[in-house]
């Protein structure tokens, strides 16, 4: 059993860290895991993505054509990766930054305004944790408690003051995804 | 020790430090710069030597000099930087001093790009520097294996007084995986009988790659070949997956090898009897293992992130006795498992000819794939 999660957005949206926290939680749960970033001559405001694979056996390819789940934090990421989600998979979209609805009937779509939710919680930089919360509500590969524990154990000391805000963001994201009605496919 | 989530480049650097590294000499280049960066912080903190040279040419010659003291020393770079090191490398081989070099291979030729590639196979495995010499080349496919092979590299380098390469690629360098680092070994306190560390109170020792009289140079070459024979006899390493009943065997190393593993698993789920041989030592090459497989398999599929450099080594072993096919991506492109799965499926359906050139057949199949992407 293998689960592949691709997280994509602008540099600065916390794409790579969102993947790392999933990877830490998976490792602490005793699973096999790989985290691999797209790396290149990239900079703040450019595109960034990473792929996390969680498995019960030795992981082969660290990259897959059709991931189980995609988190698209901006419009270019939605356009690029929406067609790639494995049928029956999950697509989490940052509704704050896209001007259209979903296009696929065969996957679980969650359009969630992570920017607004994060701002309401007092810090726009929490948007990645809101998205991770929404993802795990739809894709129970790890529990929110496991993510919270991973934050406790692996968040750098200087960021520990944001601990409570991160936990709140995860919960808000999960609550939104669970309450969201089925979105209308264009 | 507990597992940590480690990035390949940093894991390799820390593994070298824990293996008792005394001196690091290097020059930054993507995608291995984190390795040098880690060294720049850790080595001085431990009272050991870190030196960022003015170029790769300088770095390899500093490495050469440091190796002559018998200390555990290494450098690391990526493809264009490794090309610059070739002269020094040949001098190191000719002087018979142990060094470890990590090559985090990127797309080429030329300046190329910083994406993962295996295009350095021929340069690393089959020379690059002038003269007859054979380095040991280790190819990790995961962060844990990269750690283990870096530690092994130092032991092998000293055992055989030889160059040991760890040939990774951008994926291994940039990827994070749970892995366990070895405990910190103490810096060695005894140095080999040949080391040049000051001759106060004893006979002078000279380390050099100059043998002006060809008779002496031939003796040296013969000695190098004897050592190489020992290495070939004792140090072949590889991993096997699903080979017990396989009638088709995929051969791939490093990142290409682990991508092939995904394809092999998917093919197995469809009932195709396929296995994987993943060479860990590219030099010495696991030729005896391939020879054994020839007796019972219908064909081989060689998978690489280059235009078939290891393919030639496989063909040299197979000698036309069973069909060999090839699938590669080049220039920093990384295959998806789906592409390799399609090749395995095709081989299970079609009769593959014994004659002809697998590289020519592959180029025909690849052309529309490249065309489609653009």
């Amino acid at each position: 059993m293998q689960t592949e999660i691709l997280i994509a957005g602008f540099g600065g949206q916390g794409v790579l860290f969102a993947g790392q926290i999933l990877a830490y939680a998976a490792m602490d749960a005793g699973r096999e895991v790989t985290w691999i970033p797209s790396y290149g001559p990239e900079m703040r405001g450019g595109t960034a993505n990473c792929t996390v694979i969680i498995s019960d056996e030795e992981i082969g390819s660290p990259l897959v054509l059709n991931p189980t789940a995609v988190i698209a934090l901006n419009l270019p990421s939605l356009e690029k990766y929406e067609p790639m989600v494995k049928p029956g998979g999950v697509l989490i979209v940052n509704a704050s930054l896209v001007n259209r609805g979903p296009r696929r009937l065969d996957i679980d779509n969650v359009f969630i305004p992570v920017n607004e939710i994060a701002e309401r919680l007092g810090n726009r930089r929490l948007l990645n944790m809101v998205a991770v919360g929404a993802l795990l509500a739809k894709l129970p590969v790890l529990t929110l408690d496991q993510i919270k524990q991973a934050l406790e154990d692996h968040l750098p000391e200087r960021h520990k003051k944001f601990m409570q805000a991160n936990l709140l963001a995860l919960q808000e994201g999960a609550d939104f995804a669970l309450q969201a009605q089925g979105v209308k496919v264009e | 020790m507990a597992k940590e989530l480690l990035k390949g480049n940093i894991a390799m650097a820390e593994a070298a430090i824990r293996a008792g590294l005394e001196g690091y000499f290097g020059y930054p280049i993507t995608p291995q710069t984190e390795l040098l960066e880690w060294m720049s912080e850790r080595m001085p903190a431990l009272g050991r030597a870190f030196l960022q040279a003015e170029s790769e040419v300088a770095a390899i010659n500093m490495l050469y000099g440091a190796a002559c003291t018998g200390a555990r020393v290494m450098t690391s770079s990526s493809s264009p930087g490794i090309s610059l090191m070739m002269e020094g490398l040949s001098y190191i081989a000719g002087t018979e001093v142990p060094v470890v070099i990590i090559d985090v291979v990127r797309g080429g030729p030329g300046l190329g790009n910083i994406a993962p590639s295996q295009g350095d196979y021929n340069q690393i495995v089959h020379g690059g520097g002038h003269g007859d010499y054979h380095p040991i080349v280790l190819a990790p496919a995961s962060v844990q294996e990269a750690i283990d092979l870096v530690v092994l590299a130092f032991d092998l380098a000293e055992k055989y007084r030889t160059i040991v390469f760890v040939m990774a690629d951008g994926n291994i360098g940039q990827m994070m995986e749970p892995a366990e680092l070895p405990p910190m070994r103490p810096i060695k306190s005894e140095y080999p009988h040949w080391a040049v560390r000051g001759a106060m109170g004893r006979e002078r020792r000279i380390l050099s790659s100059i043998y002006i009289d060809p008779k002496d140079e031939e003796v040296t070459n013969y000695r190098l070949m004897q050592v190489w024979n020992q290495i070939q006899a004792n140090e072949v390493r590889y991993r096997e997956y699903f080979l017990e009943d396989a009638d088709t065997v995929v051969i791939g190393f490093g990142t290409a090898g682990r991508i092939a593993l995904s394809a092999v698993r998917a093919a197995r789920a469809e009932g195709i009897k396929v296995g994987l041989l993943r060479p860990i030592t590219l030099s010495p090459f696991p030729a005896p293992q391939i020879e054994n497989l020839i007796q019972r398999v219908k064909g081989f599929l060689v998978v690489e992130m280059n235009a078939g450099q290891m393919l030639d080594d496989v063909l040299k072993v197979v000698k036309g006795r069973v069909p060999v096919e090839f699938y590669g991506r080049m220039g920093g492109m990384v295959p998806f498992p789906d592409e390799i799965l399609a090749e395995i499926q095709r081989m299970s359906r079609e009769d593959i000819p014994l004659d002809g050139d697998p590289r020519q057949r592959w180029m025909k199949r690849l052309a529309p794939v490249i065309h489609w992407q653009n």
Side-chain angles (χ1 to χ4, degrees), chain B residues 154-315:
Chain B
F154 285 101
D155 294 339
L156 291 178
E158 287 177 2
K159 181 174 178 189
Y160 296 104
R161 287 179 64 175
T162 190
I163 298 163
V164 181
F165 268 99
V166 176
M167 183 177 156
D169 62 58
N171 264 359
I172 303 292
Q174 297 297 323
M175 188 164 59
M176 289 178 94
E177 287 184 316
E180 196 175 336
L181 286 159
M184 185 73 93
R185 275 195 219 175
I187 294 285
K188 67 168 95 159
S189 53
E190 283 180 32
Y191 290 86
H193 64 89
W194 49 261
V196 176
R197 304 178 63 84
M200 190 74 87
R202 62 155 172 79
E203 279 280 299
R204 197 162 73 128
R205 296 170 190 160
I206 293 178
L207 285 170
S208 168
S209 72
I210 305 170
Y211 296 92
I212 293 293
D213 187 339
K215 287 204 287 290
D216 296 336
E217 184 67 81
E218 188 174 51
V219 167
T220 303
N221 271 261
Y222 194 84
R223 187 170 59 243
L224 287 174
M225 290 310 296
Q226 283 179 313
V227 171
W228 172 235
N229 283 345
Q230 282 178 39
I231 291 169
Q232 282 182 299
N234 298 321
E235 304 301 344
V236 171
R237 287 172 169 80
Y238 55 90
R239 265 202 68 181
E240 301 177 338
Y241 303 82
F242 308 108
L243 284 190
E244 307 75 39
D245 62 341
D247 54 29
T248 302
V249 173
V250 183
I251 306 176
F253 69 91
T255 291
R258 68 181 287 170
I259 296 170
L261 174 60
S262 294
V264 165
R265 283 204 192 110
R268 279 270 165 186
E270 296 175 10
I272 301 173
K273 285 187 177 172
V274 59
L276 170 68
L277 177 69
R278 181 164 67 75
I280 291 172
T281 50
L282 303 179
S283 169
F285 192 61
Q289 286 64 38
I290 295 173
E291 180 65 41
N292 287 338
L293 288 168
I294 291 170
Q295 318 303 326
R296 60 177 178 88
V297 302
K298 287 198 309 205
F300 292 103
L301 170 66
V302 178
V303 176
E304 297 180 76
M305 281 145 55
N306 61 41
Q309 299 186 22
M310 183 180 70
L311 169 66
D312 289 328
D313 286 333
V314 173
L315 291 173

Side-chain angles (χ1 to χ4, degrees), chain A residues 34-35 39 58-61, chain B residues 114 176-178 241 258 262 265:
Chain A
T34 61
W35 171 95
Y39 67 93
E58 181 183 350
I59 295 171
S61 178
Chain B
I114 60 176
M176 289 178 94
E177 287 184 316
Y241 303 82
R258 68 181 287 170
S262 294
R265 283 204 192 110

Side-chain angles (χ1 to χ4, degrees), chain B residues 12 16 21 24-25 32 35 56 59-61 63-64 73-79 81-83 85-86 88-90 92-93 97-104 120 124 133 135-140 149-150 153-154 157 162-168:
Chain B
M12 287 190 282
L21 182 70
Y24 173 94
F25 311 87
Q32 69 78 51
L35 201 164
E56 287 88 347
I60 192 76
N61 283 291
L63 183 71
Y64 179 19
V73 292
M74 72 173 276
T75 187
S76 62
S77 190
S78 179
S79 310
I82 295 288
S83 293
M85 294 182 176
M86 284 299 154
L89 202 65
S90 178
I92 290 168
V97 288
V99 299
V100 170
I101 303 173
I102 298 177
D103 181 6
V104 183
D120 291 9
I124 304 305
Y133 71 96
I136 295 174
V137 184
L138 309 171
L149 292 183
V150 165
F154 285 101
T162 190
I163 298 163
V164 181
F165 268 99
V166 176
M167 183 177 156

Side-chain angles (χ1 to χ4, degrees), chain A residues 6 16-17 70 83 171:
Chain A
L6 188 149
L16 300 184
F17 182 72
V70 167
Q171 197 59 54

Side-chain angles (χ1 to χ4, degrees), chain B residues 103-117:
Chain B
D103 181 6
V104 183
V105 183
R106 62 187 239 183
L111 194 56
N113 55 52
I114 60 176
S117 165

Side-chain angles (χ1 to χ4, degrees), chain A residues 122-140:
Chain A
N123 188 341
R124 176 184 278 217
R125 290 173 65 193
L126 296 168
L127 72 89
N128 57 349
M129 288 301 117
V130 178
V132 167
L135 173 78
L136 295 182
K138 293 291 183 183
L139 185 80

Side-chain angles (χ1 to χ4, degrees), chain B residues 322-341:
Chain B
V322 293
V324 177
E325 285 285 59
F326 174 69
Y327 189 77
R329 299 302 301 267
M330 301 170 288
M333 292 296 291
V334 179
F336 283 110
D338 313 60
E339 298 167 58
I340 301 166
L341 175 61

